[in-house]
Amino acid sequence: MNRPKEEQNRLSTVLAASSARNDHWRQLHAAAASWALADSDEKGRARRTECARLMADVLRIEHCWAYPGRRLLGAMTDALEHQEPATFTRLVQRVSGALLSGDFRRDEQIWEAAAEVEGRALDVLPPDLGGPMARRPYFEVLVVTPSAPAEWTRSRDEIVRMRRVDDAFQYEVVHVGSFEDAALAAMVNGDLQAVVLIDGFGYASPHALPDLKEFLSRFFTPEEDSVKPGALSTRLADALHKLRPELDLYMLTDRSPELLAGSDEAAPLRRVFHHIEEPMELHLAILDGIKDRYETPYFDNLKKYAQRPIGTFHALPIARGKSVFPSNWIRDMGQFYGTNILFAESSATTGGLDSLLEPTGTIKRAQEAVARAFGAKRAYLGTNGTSTSNKIVVQAVCKPGDIVIVDRNCHKSHHYGFVLSGAQPYYVEAFPLTEYSMYGAVPLRTIKQALLNCMAEGTLDRVKVIDMTNCTFDGHMYNPRRVMEECLAIKPDLIFLWDEAWFGFARFSPLHRRRTAMGAADALSRRYRSAAYRKEYEAWAAAQKPIDPKDPGAVDAKRLPDPDKVRIRVYQTNSTHKSMSAFRQGSMMLVWDDDFHHVEGPFEEAFFAHTSTSPNLQLIASLDLARRQMELEGYSLTMRMTDLAVRLRHAINGHPLISKYFRVASPEEMIPAEFRSSGIKDYGEPHASWVEIVRSWDEDEFALDPTRLTLICGAAGFDGTQFKGLLAERFDIQINKTSRNSVLVQTNINNTHSDAALLIKALADLSREIEERLAQDGPRARDALAARAKSLMTDVPDLPNFSCFHEAFRENSKAASNEGHMRPAFFMAYDESNCEFVRLASEEIDKRLKDGPEMVSANFVIPYPPGFPIMVPGQVITEDTITFMRKLDVKEIHGYHAAQGLKLIKPSVLAGRKATSDQ
Ligand SMILES: *Cc1c(COP(=O)(O)O)cnc(C)c1O
């Protein structure tokens, strides 16, 4: 099919294939309706041609879905060919309606109606199954087969006959005949949950899909050995597993299944069957695979618990609503929350409710399911937010004296974690985005330089952890694979803590996954175990000298970790509630640590130290459910949210009116060129194709998560806080993060096209109002807006870097590394006589900045925004921090009260204090 060049290879072609599909069907429906209404032959012919063109568009990738299927599509093509506009329109209307509403998943009528229209026997559901579809979750199974398409209908009917009344789930089958079509179907069809690979199919698709093929070739490279019998199916299994690890893969083969099943090639396969085996076995295996993911051990049990008659004599009067429903005064509590939540409350750990602190039953199984779903070796559920999960991990892996190289901008829970554990933070700086008064992320070079500085000081053995935020609030994603590889080449047993509070969903998007901690741990683990890596390493190592940390070139040298020494030690924390369907505070700690046997004891201690002995049951259940949802529909949800975000970017930046006053910052604006070697400029048309985006996400040091949109409102004369208020009051649009001249718009798995439309409408209304005002008020208004925009967009206060710890908290105040003892500084402030206050406006500050004695912060000072500490206990306060504080116009500053002033540690207390490593 000939498509205009610019239409080929667009990001949206693949990313949005399923929403583009709905659009195509909608267009076809409109065209069909207009054909049916044509009042002259000439119009009829023209409109039929249009229908035929759109139908061809629809048919391009329609073979990837079970509904509407070959028969119904055939009937439509017939109606088109035989000039039957009424029939054609009726069919199109039914199908497009069912696709948009998703009713084909619930309502057998829609499938039946299709059969009736074709004048064929009802063949979808035996009558005894009539009705239950609505109650059974629906999915699709892809069968990749060498058999001729003519046989596919018969094969499908065979499978349909295996359905039983008590099946817990219901599925339909999609047949394809090639590697390419299978890969395509797995990419575009979010209803797929299982794939059956029947040995012997070929590589190339018979369909003309030049744009998609180019993309496919990026994900799936057929290698020479794919001509070997059977090699193609194991290669496809491998590729599908990489694309969507949650899919259940089955293989039917003539090769000796016993031999295959034991080989590495079969690792991604759930089961291997011999061709001639009983098909019922396969049917049951498929249902069983879904059950494994559907099962929510904790939630299922909690539901059962809520239904049992139980007398409670434990704490928690509200359990089973007993103090609520009979009450004269809090009856509305029961009415509002309903019975279930109260019946599901208990303080018992018996009856299968298990104990979060020592799980042996349903919580243990829920955690194992989380580990499987998120690609970790182990998982722990957290019920006090990632704020606590971070403290648990920090305290589990650090002891007093250990050094942690940490992003100074990380969430405050990390900083508090260092106070608690006695670890010494070595603060490193993210690159600044001064124009938007934000920070990006920490360059790899900075992290490596910190390691080399410690090596030069002889303290490298004390560097225990690298602690970074991935992705950042504003959407900067690290390249964790590269960061870890290059750091491990300097110290092979480093532990990495990746705070992925925002990024839990990323596991389920094949685009984002490569930038997650667990995704990188998996990739590196495979790499270092491979024979190819050993060869690469040995060839490289032969020409290498040991690292000289004082050599200025050392930081830029790209080294490789020794495969015999390297350990994969990765911890990832997620605020499940931020990106998935968990209640607030639901969090997960994911572990891939080759040396976890050394950490398990301390981890348990840290978990006990921070976890309530009365964890919230509903929260644990919601984590279980969030996992189920992502394992079954995370792929389509994350693809949809990414698509929506890209469309939103395009709609705003491409809008003739809106773009005069608002814009969404592009990767080019958010990531300096030196960290963006691919040169990618923006998402959305006409900038980057899928292929380019995947390449940039594979290779660039930083990439921008498109789902986090920095919407710049300064040019419209609004500061971030003001604009946030305006969106909430006038348009019912809620956002949470602002900077001086921008707000952050996040798309999430819950967002719809209507949400996007609401935002676009709000921006268009506001832009129109500005235009009107400028037109009415003339040049004065124009100048005023320009001046306001300038003050918001250019006169931005410089963000201060971390200065240093006072020498009283440094073991070696001459060292190039900056780690310091924050804990003693923190506790000094507990004794009021150690502290003094200076007002920000006072002259004393300026005098002390000039002549001393140095001012040393007694506590954390954290303004919101930006939300990270600009002072930490023991830090020397420098002029740029004071300037920043004085210009700061935010209301909420934790650790600072304007009336009192800055809280400092008195110079007399610091005089003569010596820091030693055992503090
Ligand atoms: C929100 C957030 C946290 C804290 O998570 P909660 O679940 O709100 O406690 C930690 N780190 C980062 C980067 C965050 O964005």
Side-chain angles (χ1 to χ4, degrees):
M1 175 153 172
N2 254 339
R3 322 194 101 233
K5 183 113 186 83
E6 71 274 15
E7 259 193 55
Q8 289 184 13
N9 209 13
R10 280 178 182 171
L11 172 65
S12 54
T13 326
V14 184
L15 184 61
S18 50
S19 61
R21 180 191 186 209
N22 287 344
D23 291 347
H24 282 146
W25 276 100
R26 214 175 299 142
Q27 286 164 10
L28 181 61
H29 179 213
S34 128
W35 180 28
L37 293 174
D39 52 11
S40 72
D41 281 358
E42 194 189 338
K43 274 190 198 155
R45 266 195 304 282
R47 289 177 188 175
R48 187 187 157 277
T49 310
E50 176 65 2
C51 286
R53 187 184 70 78
L54 291 169
M55 183 75 193
D57 250 359
V58 160
L59 287 178
R60 243 163 71 81
I61 55 173
E62 205 55 44
H63 59 280
C64 297
W65 288 274
Y67 184 83
R70 285 154 51 87
R71 288 176 190 172
L72 191 47
L73 289 170
M76 287 167 58
T77 313
D78 282 351
L80 192 63
E81 270 168 20
H82 297 124
Q83 317 262 4
E84 294 163 3
T87 310
F88 183 71
T89 308
R90 198 152 35 91
L91 289 167
V92 172
Q93 181 172 13
R94 183 172 299 128
V95 170
S96 67
L99 288 174
L100 282 179
S101 62
D103 280 349
F104 68 94
R105 299 191 188 96
R106 294 178 283 273
D107 181 0
E108 49 265 55
Q109 295 298 325
I110 285 174
W111 297 74
E112 278 177 35
E116 163 229 290
V117 167
E118 294 166 66
R120 278 174 220 207
L122 174 74
D123 64 351
V124 174
L125 286 172
D128 61 336
L129 288 186
M133 193 168 179
R135 274 174 276 127
R136 288 190 242 189
Y138 167 89
F139 65 97
E140 297 184 0
V141 174
L142 182 69
V143 176
V144 195
T145 172
S147 67
E151 288 176 39
W152 294 354
T153 309
R154 195 178 50 77
S155 144
R156 183 193 149 275
D157 293 347
E158 242 170 51
I159 292 168
V160 165
R161 273 199 294 280
M162 285 185 292
R163 290 184 187 162
R164 300 162 313 154
V165 184
D166 48 0
D167 287 345
F169 311 99
Q170 155 124 347
Y171 66 90
E172 269 293 338
V173 183
V174 190
H175 282 87
V176 293
S178 69
F179 184 108
E180 279 185 336
D181 282 318
L184 179 63
M187 270 197 281
V188 301
N189 185 344
D191 281 325
L192 285 187
Q193 299 294 355
V195 183
V196 180
L197 304 141
I198 305 177
D199 248 356
F201 54 82
Y203 182 79
S205 162
H207 303 270
L209 304 159
D211 46 352
L212 297 172
K213 283 186 177 195
E214 184 185 347
F215 180 71
L216 286 178
S217 68
R218 182 76 198 173
F219 269 111
F220 307 105
T221 19
E223 287 170 25
E224 289 113 48
D225 66 352
S226 55
V227 287
K228 274 198 288 182
L232 204 52
S233 49
T234 40
R235 193 161 297 284
L236 177 60
D238 199 45
L240 293 176
H241 185 68
K242 281 204 189 98
L243 180 78
R244 291 178 60 179
E246 70 281 4
L247 290 178
D248 293 325
L249 306 177
Y250 302 93
M251 189 176 291
L252 263 59
T253 179
D254 283 337
R255 289 183 280 168
S256 159
E258 302 81 2
L259 280 183
L260 177 62
S263 71
D264 274 355
E265 290 178 336
L269 299 173
R270 189 176 162 97
R271 272 189 72 177
V272 180
F273 291 97
H274 199 253
H275 249 326
I276 50 176
E277 237 151 37
E278 183 52 25
M280 193 53 147
E281 278 293 300
L282 177 61
H283 171 73
L284 295 177
I286 288 173
L287 293 180
D288 199 49
I290 305 302
K291 181 170 142 279
D292 278 357
R293 279 180 276 158
Y294 187 83
E295 211 166 45
T296 30
Y298 189 78
F299 173 69
D300 297 346
N301 190 66
L302 192 60
K303 272 197 301 189
K304 257 192 253 150
Y305 176 87
Q307 285 155 9
R308 290 208 323 250
I310 292 172
T312 58
F313 284 101
H314 51 61
L316 199 75
I318 66 157
R320 317 196 71 79
K322 282 186 179 169
S323 68
V324 178
F325 297 119
S327 161
N328 210 12
W329 297 103
I330 60 165
R331 238 176 290 166
D332 56 341
M333 179 179 183
Q335 279 159 5
F336 183 73
Y337 288 110
T339 46
N340 281 346
I341 204 164
L342 297 171
F343 271 75
E345 279 291 330
S346 171
S347 71
T349 52
T350 51
L353 289 177
D354 208 0
S355 157
L356 183 63
L357 295 164
E358 187 138 4
T360 54
T362 51
I363 293 182
K364 182 162 180 280
R365 278 167 48 221
Q367 291 187 338
E368 285 162 1
V370 166
R372 171 191 69 208
F374 287 82
K377 294 292 181 201
R378 275 170 187 261
Y380 293 86
L381 303 180
T383 56
N384 194 15
T386 298
S387 304
T388 295
S389 298
N390 285 335
K391 287 177 209 155
I392 291 174
V393 176
V394 167
Q395 207 172 328
V397 296
C398 295
K399 59 183 188 319
D402 288 345
I403 296 172
V404 179
I405 294 174
V406 57
D407 178 0
R408 196 268 311 237
N409 306 335
C410 68
H411 187 263
K412 63 181 180 178
S413 51
H414 301 261
H415 306 270
Y416 281 104
F418 307 141
V419 170
L420 292 168
S421 66
Q424 298 185 45
Y426 179 162
Y427 286 116
V428 286
E429 298 289 342
F431 65 81
L433 286 165
T434 313
E435 202 184 335
Y436 309 124
S437 59
M438 287 174 196
Y439 273 98
V442 182
L444 175 54
R445 200 172 189 280
T446 307
I447 301 173
K448 283 168 75 181
Q449 188 61 60
L451 286 169
L452 293 171
N453 288 347
C454 290
M455 191 182 233
E457 298 299 329
T459 55
L460 187 63
D461 59 330
R462 279 169 47 203
V463 179
K464 204 61 182 291
V465 182
I466 310 271
D467 182 355
M468 300 287 147
T469 306
N470 184 45
C471 68
T472 66
F473 214 147
D474 303 296
H476 292 97
M477 301 181 293
Y478 282 83
N479 189 335
R481 210 180 320 186
R482 190 166 148 207
V483 171
M484 295 201 280
E485 173 146 321
E486 295 205 24
C487 291
L488 289 168
I490 298 174
K491 186 168 194 274
D493 61 349
L494 278 171
I495 295 172
F496 296 86
L497 166 54
W498 296 97
D499 178 347
E500 301 197 352
W502 292 112
F503 211 42
F505 73 92
R507 159 77 184 174
F508 299 92
S509 151
L511 252 191
H512 290 83
R513 189 181 309 123
R514 70 198 69 229
R515 294 238 164 203
T516 64
M518 286 302 131
D522 182 31
L524 289 180
S525 180
R526 285 168 199 269
R527 173 166 157 81
Y528 299 146
R529 277 201 317 259
S530 72
Y533 179 76
R534 187 166 290 275
K535 251 168 79 187
E536 181 186 347
Y537 174 78
E538 279 164 6
W540 170 85
Q544 289 301 315
K545 289 205 267 309
I547 303 174
D548 170 9
K550 298 235 164 67
D551 169 9
V555 69
D556 293 312
K558 203 167 164 187
R559 303 181 66 89
L560 293 175
D562 182 341
D564 292 325
K565 296 200 178 125
V566 72
R567 314 296 293 161
I568 302 292
R569 310 196 63 183
V570 187
Y571 292 75
Q572 172 188 334
T573 51
N574 292 330
S575 289
T576 318
H577 66 99
K578 284 181 179 168
S579 72
M580 292 166 269
S581 302
F583 286 125
R584 213 159 143 86
Q585 296 193 8
S587 171
M588 292 171 181
M589 288 154 269
L590 305 174
V591 182
W592 185 313
D593 185 349
D594 291 345
D595 289 331
F596 194 68
H597 49 279
H598 295 309
V599 178
E600 192 164 9
F603 196 98
E604 206 166 67
E605 289 295 345
F607 196 86
F608 290 161
H610 291 284
T611 302
S612 163
T613 45
S614 315
N616 185 305
L617 311 189
Q618 318 315 325
L619 233 150
I620 300 171
S622 78
L623 287 167
D624 207 8
L625 286 161
R627 188 274 309 150
R628 179 211 287 176
Q629 175 176 40
M630 295 313 277
E631 235 183 347
L632 288 158
E633 57 181 338
Y635 177 78
S636 48
L637 292 173
T638 54
M639 289 301 257
R640 188 183 72 183
M641 82 191 248
T642 310
D643 169 43
L644 194 69
V646 170
R647 285 181 185 225
L648 206 46
R649 287 172 174 271
H650 182 59
I652 293 171
N653 290 355
H655 193 288
L657 175 62
I658 296 177
S659 62
K660 282 164 83 173
Y661 303 101
F662 300 95
R663 65 176 275 105
V664 181
S666 62
E668 186 181 26
E669 288 156 305
M670 296 287 284
I671 301 171
E674 61 188 294
F675 307 123
R676 200 166 28 83
S677 54
S678 69
I680 191 167
K681 289 187 162 51
D682 202 355
Y683 299 131
E685 300 138 27
H687 293 280
S689 72
W690 250 102
V691 179
E692 287 161 323
I693 289 174
V694 171
R695 189 186 314 127
S696 83
W697 284 32
D698 271 338
E699 292 163 15
D700 286 355
E701 181 166 347
F702 298 112
L704 186 70
D705 178 0
T707 70
R708 310 183 70 77
L709 294 80
T710 294
L711 177 63
I712 300 157
C713 53
F718 301 113
D719 69 49
T721 315
Q722 196 183 10
F723 191 58
K724 170 179 161 173
L726 190 70
L727 286 178
E729 271 162 42
R730 279 192 48 195
F731 301 97
D732 287 327
I733 295 173
Q734 290 183 1
I735 46 147
N736 73 17
K737 196 224 166 193
T738 61
S739 83
R740 186 174 160 86
N741 49 31
S742 71
V743 298
L744 182 76
V745 175
Q746 306 170 41
T747 62
N748 221 324
I749 60 168
N750 62 341
N751 285 120
T752 61
H753 285 283
S754 313
D755 296 335
L758 185 64
L759 179 66
I760 300 285
K761 170 95 171 55
L763 297 179
D765 286 355
L766 289 170
S767 305
R768 225 170 282 119
E769 283 170 25
I770 298 172
E771 294 267 284
E772 280 164 19
R773 206 177 63 227
L774 293 181
Q776 275 170 16
D777 298 356
R780 277 241 311 280
R782 231 167 258 284
D783 292 347
L785 177 64
R788 169 86 177 139
K790 179 169 178 297
S791 90
L792 288 171
M793 296 300 297
T794 51
D795 303 337
V796 184
D798 278 340
L799 294 157
N801 277 353
F802 177 73
S803 50
C804 59
F805 284 107
H806 187 267
E807 61 184 24
F809 306 108
R810 307 248 296 133
E811 286 162 45
N812 173 3
S813 56
K814 307 271 181 312
S817 59
N818 75 25
E819 77 279 3
H821 292 268
M822 193 158 69
R823 185 162 69 168
F826 179 88
F827 285 112
M828 261 182 202
Y830 277 37
D831 185 347
E832 281 151 27
S833 67
N834 287 337
C835 298
E836 59 181 356
F837 289 91
V838 290
R839 303 271 298 270
L840 204 52
S842 70
E843 278 168 24
E844 187 191 340
I845 288 197
D846 301 277
K847 214 166 119 274
R848 282 181 66 172
L849 282 174
K850 207 153 114 251
D851 307 324
E854 282 179 320
M855 294 182 286
V856 175
S857 184
N859 57 0
F860 290 107
V861 175
I862 309 178
Y864 284 80
F868 56 81
I870 58 167
M871 295 172 213
V872 305
Q875 180 185 341
V876 174
I877 301 173
T878 48
E879 188 171 350
D880 49 359
T881 306
I882 296 297
T883 311
F884 184 79
M885 283 292 284
R886 283 175 174 167
K887 279 199 194 172
L888 202 65
D889 50 5
V890 301
K891 288 202 195 70
E892 195 176 338
I893 306 178
H894 297 182
Y896 170 76
H897 304 284
Q900 284 183 309
L902 298 172
K903 187 173 183 182
L904 307 178
I905 304 175
K906 284 180 185 164
S908 57
V909 178
L910 297 172
R913 189 180 187 281
K914 284 267 176 305
T916 56
S917 69
D918 56 359
Q919 281 170 332

